[in-house]
Amino acid sequence: MKKNDLISRSAAIRELGGFDDDGRIRDILCDLPTIDPEELRPVGHWYDKGSLSCRCSRCGCKNDRESHYCPICGARMEG
């Protein structure tokens, strides 16, 4: 199992079905901490901005505009 597997809490509770008659497992699942999936997304920045395009610092993708995310690797652009 991966360190940060993301699962759907509601799907896990639904799958429990008859195995959780007293609701204890559901309560445990509901009490588990959540994470923001955006925190798992790689972070990069646009560079080489002086030309007609810019490049992603993560994958080198050339893009004609500075957007919030790289269209190739999906990195969230900061700075």
Side-chain angles (χ1 to χ4, degrees):
M1 184 182 313
K2 296 177 186 173
K3 182 178 179 185
N4 283 321
D5 285 344
L6 299 180
I7 64 168
S8 166
R9 182 179 295 174
S10 58
I13 292 170
R14 193 172 45 252
E15 288 295 318
L16 288 170
F19 296 108
D20 190 33
D21 292 335
D22 60 0
R24 287 186 348 201
I25 298 173
R26 184 194 69 240
D27 291 344
I28 291 169
L29 285 173
C30 288
D31 288 340
L32 289 173
T34 60
I35 63 168
D36 180 1
E38 276 299 306
E39 294 175 7
L40 301 177
R41 186 185 292 263
V43 176
H45 63 273
W46 295 117
Y47 71 95
D48 196 18
K49 299 177 191 177
S51 62
L52 295 175
S53 62
C54 50
R55 292 190 175 275
C56 170
S57 64
R58 303 260 323 158
C59 70
C61 162
K62 199 171 188 179
N63 199 13
D64 59 352
R65 64 182 180 87
E66 290 182 41
S67 60
H68 295 289
Y69 299 95
C70 175
I72 300 299
C73 71
R76 182 180 68 240
M77 295 298 153
E78 294 184 350

